[in-house]
Amino acid sequence: MKQYLVEGMSCAACQTRVEKAVSKLEGVDSCAVSLLTNSMGVEGNANPKDVIEAVKNAGYSASLKDAEDSSEESSVSSDEQMLEDHETPKLKKRLLYSLGFLLVLMYISMGHNMLNWPVPAFLNHNHLGLTLTQMILSLIIMVINRKFFISGFQSVMHGAPNMDTLVALGSSVSFLWSVYVFFLMTVQITNSVSNMELMPLYHNQLYFESAAMILVFITIGKMLEAMSKGRTTNALKSLMRLAPKKATVLKDGVEQVVDIAQVQAGDIFIVKPGESIPVDGLIISGDSAVNESALTGESVPVDKVVDDTISAGTMNISGYLQAKATQVGKDTTLSKIIQMVSDAAATKAPIAKIADQISSVFVPAVILIAFVVMIGWLLTGASFVYALERAISVLVISCPCALGLATPVAIMVGNGIGFQHGILFKTSEALEEMGKMNVIALDKTGTITTGQPVVKDIYPVEGVDTRELLQYAYSIESKSEHPFAKAIIEKAMDEKIDLYESMDFKTLVGSGLEAKVNGHHMHAGSNTFIKTIVEVPEELQKIADEAASLGKTPLFFEHDGKLMGIITAADTIKEDSSLAISRLKKMGMEVVMLTGDNQRTAEAIAKVAGVDRVVAGVKPDGKEAVIAQLQLDGKVAMVGDGINDAPALTRADIGIAIGAGTDVAIDSADIVLSNSTLVDVVRAVRLSRATLKNVKENLFWAFIYNIICIPLAAGLLHVSMNPMYGAAAMALSSVTVCLNALRLNMFQIDDERHDKAIRKRKEEKKMEKTIKIEGMMCEHCERTVKGALESVDGVTSANVSRDDKQAVVTLEKDVADEVLKKAVEDKDYTVVSITK
């Protein structure tokens, strides 16, 4: 995804205008514009110059974020530039100047005329002079706030009127009508009309203060909105501030302080107590406690020793460390997290499309409504002044901004809360959809369990003691790389057992080992393997069977044709896995465990963990097919950590990678958990539901505001609203939406009261079609075909594989083969066949 900074947008209509302009370009797969961060994310291979030109032609300006410099410092500063609040200082300055002149204007129009406050002698009882003074003051305020008029009328010229158009029209019409009345007054003066006779015109038909007040109220609202929007991005800003600007490197034995951009992979750098770690590295000397809370959300410092990894942005607490730089610039963990959060801000949640569709026609519709209202009142016999006042009120009270901000402000706050707890949502869609999942599929090893087996029991045969069995087992397993071998080695080392010399070590087909240990010919392996060498007594066989039924793996050992005994080992369930699974079930989700273990072992682990269902005997390449089958029951989230989980993570509606997993799994996921705990899956669900609820509240108030206020301003509820009050209401609506989103910051993510089950969505029996396609060569091709098919009415999802040269589409209604074929071939790929 390429990100751009966009300037000149003032409301949701502007956002929609930019999206439409860029989406039309050849090579653009998708485009998402964020009014909140003034950013745009573009997927595809379109030329950045063409994208910038399209934005310019739409009436705005754009620049490619981080166009040339790829250093970490440049990347972070570019992100900070994107989020920096440039608007509030400008708006504050405008507001202060405007208020100064407005106070004088209101003193004359309200204080003098209504309360008989004193004015200079040359203006006293001089209605023409007072009117001229009001006109000059309001004109000054209009010049100060000329941005509304420039933006509003420019957008009309580009065929996309926006919120500024409504403000500019409302203020302009009020001002021009008052100027017209002023000229009527001058004509009457020339006809020797007295001051008393000018009173009706002066008091009832002048709207200079309304023309000015509209602009001031909207400016107040814009400033409060800008301040609120700035607070929603505080989490991301604080993350960016973690990136150190300097590093101490060791060159030729001398410590040198250099800019972070100058640090290269392989450099030796030094971190003293109390300093931030500048880049990712591997400790080569020293030990310390490191505070990683900035990246993981865990406040307890982690002990680090030689050969441990350290991450940029974390804090060295106590020791002096020397480390070798492994990842620098954009490749550091911190930079990747910043990029993930930044990308998420540049994407759009599905629920935002509702507001976008309305915003695209909102402003033209309001202008039309205002015109109809004025004509309607004239036809009913109302005065022109009254009809004009109603039309102006409709223009200035309507607020597309509240609609445009309803979703992004809540999404940004939700993303910030997630980051603070080590939960990284890579897209806004992931944050919205996580709470809607029906099934949570969990990979067993490394997800439910630690992935590190430990020795559970030792059963020597008669004549062999426990220590002797463990010593021989340790000696033969010491040359094996199997996880169970490591468990036995760790147990023996804990018991301080000496190692016998082993010779002629071999790994045998059939899960066995062979070696000469302490002069004895020895074998080790599974029950099936050992039975080919020595007879297993019935009593020991029962022990082995019982261990297997409890989820343990029995390992048999013999030497010189005599059985020595059994050692059982098992992968340990993480301390909080059972708790997390029970909470997911309480939320109304079905929890399924995927494992390659046999059914009996899998069921034993499942019983302890508390999952609803087990899918055992799953081969590494078979998890994707299992996820596809589970999707028949509803939306599926897959949690995994290994390379072999990547296809399943991609196939699932939401893929979740735990932070200790592989880069491949993390790249394939929609959500990344920094802390490798299933409790964070529960937190992600809670946060998703809370954020979606907040979005719906915002949309509700934005819709209700316009539904109530437009008829009110039109006078349909027998209320005559002054345009300046309409402007105040418009300003208040946007601020209210922002403040409601900020209320999310008080959300208690660990509060179990949020764990309410939602009714499972009843899935209709869906149809699938398999489309064989030629011409797909890369991931971009897959995304293009996927986007083309999912844009077809009736297609709920499309799973595209360039390796299999096919796309499997899920349909909610029958879609003709010709329609599917055209969607693919319009993107220059060849459809070979379509089958059900």
Side-chain angles (χ1 to χ4, degrees):
M1 176 190 285
K2 287 189 176 70
Q3 287 198 37
Y4 299 79
L5 302 174
V6 182
E7 295 181 358
M9 297 188 297
S10 62
C11 71
C14 301
Q15 174 181 294
T16 305
R17 171 73 175 168
V18 174
E19 280 184 2
K20 285 183 176 179
V22 175
S23 296
K24 291 176 183 176
L25 292 176
E26 186 177 349
V28 173
D29 296 332
S30 66
C31 171
V33 178
S34 172
L35 180 64
L36 179 65
T37 58
N38 295 314
S39 65
M40 174 175 66
V42 179
E43 292 274 11
N45 57 4
N47 190 320
K49 290 183 180 178
D50 294 338
V51 172
I52 292 170
E53 187 64 25
V55 175
K56 184 179 179 182
N57 291 337
Y60 309 91
S61 61
S63 59
L64 186 62
K65 174 180 162 248
D66 196 21
E68 295 178 3
D69 194 343
S70 62
S71 70
E72 180 175 19
E73 185 177 3
S74 171
S75 173
V76 172
S77 63
S78 181
D79 283 312
E80 287 179 317
Q81 179 190 356
M82 180 181 75
L83 294 175
E84 189 177 343
D85 186 2
H86 301 284
E87 283 300 305
T88 300
K90 294 178 184 176
L91 288 166
K92 191 179 289 185
K93 187 177 180 181
R94 269 170 51 188
L95 180 60
L96 289 174
Y97 284 132
S98 299
L99 282 173
F101 289 102
L102 182 67
L103 288 173
V104 180
L105 176 59
M106 296 307 292
Y107 182 92
I108 294 172
S109 63
M110 299 285 186
H112 175 66
N113 294 329
M114 297 175 66
L115 303 173
N116 204 28
W117 289 356
V119 292
F122 68 89
L123 289 177
N124 200 26
H125 302 299
N126 181 0
H127 293 302
L128 199 62
L130 288 168
T131 304
L132 181 61
T133 303
Q134 290 183 59
M135 184 178 73
I136 293 171
L137 288 169
S138 62
L139 188 61
I140 292 171
I141 293 171
M142 291 170 77
V143 171
I144 292 171
N145 294 280
R146 60 190 175 276
K147 187 177 178 182
F148 288 120
F149 300 95
I150 295 169
S151 170
F153 293 127
Q154 272 186 352
S155 67
V156 173
M157 293 171 63
H158 285 98
N162 58 17
M163 188 205 79
D164 289 345
T165 306
L166 299 179
V167 176
L169 278 175
S171 181
S172 298
V173 172
S174 298
F175 182 82
L176 291 174
W177 170 254
S178 301
V179 170
Y180 169 71
V181 172
F182 173 67
F183 278 111
L184 284 181
M185 292 170 66
T186 58
V187 170
Q188 294 193 34
I189 284 288
T190 58
N191 292 329
S192 301
V193 177
S194 69
N195 267 317
M196 289 300 296
E197 291 174 303
L198 285 176
M199 289 291 286
L201 276 176
Y202 180 66
H203 277 300
N204 300 327
Q205 298 190 27
L206 289 177
Y207 290 99
F208 286 124
E209 79 280 1
S210 292
M213 188 70 84
I214 287 168
L215 299 174
V216 174
F217 271 137
I218 299 300
T219 303
I220 292 171
K222 284 276 188 183
M223 188 184 74
L224 293 174
E225 179 187 313
M227 292 168 66
S228 299
K229 283 162 63 178
R231 287 183 62 189
T232 66
T233 57
N234 280 349
L236 186 50
K237 289 174 186 171
S238 64
L239 175 60
M240 291 172 182
R241 285 193 285 268
L242 291 174
K245 302 292 187 290
K246 301 285 184 180
T248 304
V249 297
L250 198 62
K251 292 187 177 180
D252 301 324
V254 179
E255 293 183 13
Q256 296 181 16
V257 178
V258 299
D259 288 335
I260 195 70
Q262 295 178 286
V263 181
Q264 302 294 321
D267 284 354
I268 305 301
F269 65 92
I270 290 166
V271 191
K272 298 173 183 176
E275 291 183 346
S276 289
I277 294 167
V279 295
D280 290 2
L282 187 72
I283 297 174
I284 59 174
S285 174
D287 58 78
S288 179
V290 175
N291 186 343
E292 297 183 333
S293 60
L295 302 185
T296 65
E298 290 293 331
S299 58
V300 179
V302 179
D303 291 330
K304 298 285 185 177
V305 296
V306 173
D307 290 336
D308 281 347
T309 58
I310 51 178
S311 299
T314 57
M315 180 70 71
N316 180 20
I317 301 296
S318 55
Y320 178 91
L321 296 176
Q322 281 190 14
K324 182 178 181 181
T326 54
Q327 303 289 346
V328 299
K330 284 188 172 183
D331 295 325
T332 65
T333 303
L334 177 63
S335 290
K336 287 178 180 177
I337 291 174
I338 290 173
Q339 190 62 44
M340 277 189 218
V341 179
S342 182
D343 283 348
T347 61
K348 184 163 291 186
I351 197 170
K353 294 175 184 176
I354 301 170
D356 287 350
Q357 290 168 356
I358 293 171
S359 298
S360 63
V361 296
F362 185 89
V363 175
V366 168
I367 294 172
L368 180 62
I369 290 170
F371 180 75
V372 170
V373 165
M374 187 173 74
I375 298 299
W377 279 112
L378 290 175
L379 291 176
T380 60
S383 69
F384 180 79
V385 173
Y386 183 84
L388 183 65
E389 191 176 69
R390 302 286 67 73
I392 294 171
S393 295
V394 169
L395 286 173
V396 297
I397 206 168
S398 307
C399 189
C401 258
L403 285 172
L405 290 170
T407 301
V409 290
I411 292 290
M412 180 60 81
V413 174
N415 269 319
I417 295 171
F419 159 69
Q420 289 166 4
H421 291 86
I423 305 166
L424 302 177
F425 296 93
K426 291 168 73 173
T427 64
S428 299
E429 182 177 1
L431 177 55
E432 178 185 332
E433 293 294 317
M434 184 62 209
K436 301 177 184 178
M437 295 297 106
N438 303 110
V439 180
I440 305 290
L442 306 174
D443 177 51
K444 187 204 78 173
T445 305
T447 303
I448 296 177
T449 66
T450 61
Q452 298 172 341
V454 296
V455 170
K456 293 292 186 181
D457 310 291
I458 302 175
Y459 300 102
V461 298
E462 190 175 349
V464 178
D465 64 30
T466 300
R467 193 172 184 84
E468 182 184 3
L469 172 57
L470 185 56
Q471 187 171 24
Y472 273 93
Y474 173 32
S475 301
I476 192 171
E477 297 282 5
S478 63
K479 293 187 177 180
S480 172
E481 293 296 321
H482 195 280
F484 288 135
K486 293 180 180 178
I488 291 172
I489 294 167
E490 188 174 321
K491 176 69 173 175
M493 292 177 72
D494 288 344
E495 297 288 335
K496 295 183 171 52
I497 290 177
D498 295 329
L499 182 69
Y500 286 135
E501 183 182 4
S502 63
M503 303 171 62
D504 303 328
F505 176 84
K506 295 178 186 176
T507 300
L508 304 175
V509 177
S511 304
L513 302 175
E514 180 182 7
K516 197 168 185 179
V517 178
N518 194 29
H520 297 280
H521 190 215
M522 187 172 180
H523 291 89
S526 66
N527 192 359
T528 305
F529 169 76
I530 214 74
K531 281 181 178 178
T532 63
I533 301 167
V534 67
E535 186 177 344
V536 178
E538 185 178 344
E539 184 180 343
L540 213 57
Q541 185 62 54
K542 285 181 180 180
I543 291 174
D545 292 341
E546 184 180 350
S549 68
L550 295 174
K552 304 172 186 176
T553 300
L555 304 171
F556 291 77
F557 299 88
E558 73 82 35
H559 69 38
D560 298 334
K562 295 179 181 178
L563 191 65
M564 296 188 71
I566 300 173
I567 296 178
T568 66
D571 195 356
T572 335
I573 292 178
K574 294 177 182 176
E575 290 181 5
D576 52 13
S577 290
S578 298
L579 175 64
I581 289 167
S582 68
R583 288 180 179 172
L584 289 170
K585 290 163 68 175
K586 184 179 176 183
M587 290 174 168
M589 298 177 178
E590 182 183 12
V591 183
V592 179
M593 184 179 81
L594 311 186
T595 177
D597 292 340
N598 62 61
Q599 190 70 31
R600 187 168 60 174
T601 303
E603 286 178 355
I605 295 171
K607 186 176 181 181
V608 177
V611 300
D612 295 301
R613 201 190 332 169
V614 177
V615 182
V618 182
K619 294 181 180 179
D621 58 355
K623 293 179 183 178
E624 183 181 5
V626 173
I627 296 297
Q629 187 65 32
L630 290 173
Q631 284 174 322
L632 298 176
D633 297 328
K635 293 187 175 181
V636 177
M638 167 71 188
V639 187
D641 70 331
I643 292 175
N644 56 30
D645 294 325
L649 292 172
T650 304
R651 174 79 182 195
D653 296 283
I654 295 291
I656 304 173
I658 58 176
T662 63
D663 288 342
V664 176
I666 291 171
D667 289 343
S668 303
D670 302 293
I671 301 172
V672 178
L673 308 179
S674 299
N675 297 320
S676 301
T677 168
L678 284 180
V679 170
D680 280 349
V681 178
V682 179
R683 288 172 170 167
V685 174
R686 287 177 186 151
L687 182 57
S688 171
R689 290 181 178 179
T691 303
L692 187 58
K693 180 183 177 184
N694 191 277
V695 169
K696 289 177 178 177
E697 289 170 354
N698 286 344
L699 287 173
F700 172 80
W701 287 115
F703 281 123
I704 287 296
Y705 165 82
N706 284 290
I707 289 169
I708 293 175
C709 287
I710 290 176
L712 190 69
L716 300 181
L717 303 179
H718 305 291
V719 176
S720 297
M721 179 182 287
N722 190 298
M724 70 176 75
Y725 299 137
M730 181 188 191
L732 185 63
S733 66
S734 294
V735 175
T736 302
V737 164
C738 289
L739 291 177
N740 187 54
L742 288 171
R743 198 171 52 83
L744 255 183
N745 282 311
M746 296 185 287
F747 177 68
Q748 300 297 315
I749 202 168
D750 290 314
D751 192 340
E752 292 184 41
R753 288 176 297 178
H754 302 299
D755 298 350
K756 296 178 182 178
I758 57 174
R759 187 175 59 182
K760 289 188 180 181
R761 179 170 57 88
K762 290 184 179 180
E763 298 286 331
E764 297 177 4
K765 188 68 176 177
K766 294 181 178 178
M767 298 182 293
E768 284 191 351
K769 289 187 177 182
T770 302
I771 308 171
K772 292 292 182 182
I773 303 169
E774 293 287 350
M776 295 189 294
M777 306 295 291
C778 61
E779 287 184 10
H780 168 69
C781 297
E782 288 181 344
R783 289 197 303 268
T784 302
V785 173
K786 180 180 175 68
L789 288 169
E790 289 183 345
S791 66
V792 174
D793 183 35
V795 175
T796 57
S797 65
N799 292 291
V800 183
S801 170
R802 66 180 184 275
D803 296 327
D804 298 333
K805 297 183 179 180
Q806 69 176 27
V808 179
V809 294
T810 304
L811 310 173
E812 61 184 2
K813 64 181 181 181
D814 192 25
V815 179
D817 291 352
E818 292 76 14
V819 175
L820 298 173
K821 182 177 180 180
K822 184 177 185 303
V824 175
E825 294 192 340
D826 281 351
K827 297 295 182 181
D828 298 325
Y829 299 96
T830 304
V831 173
V832 178
S833 65
I834 301 179
T835 56
K836 286 188 178 181

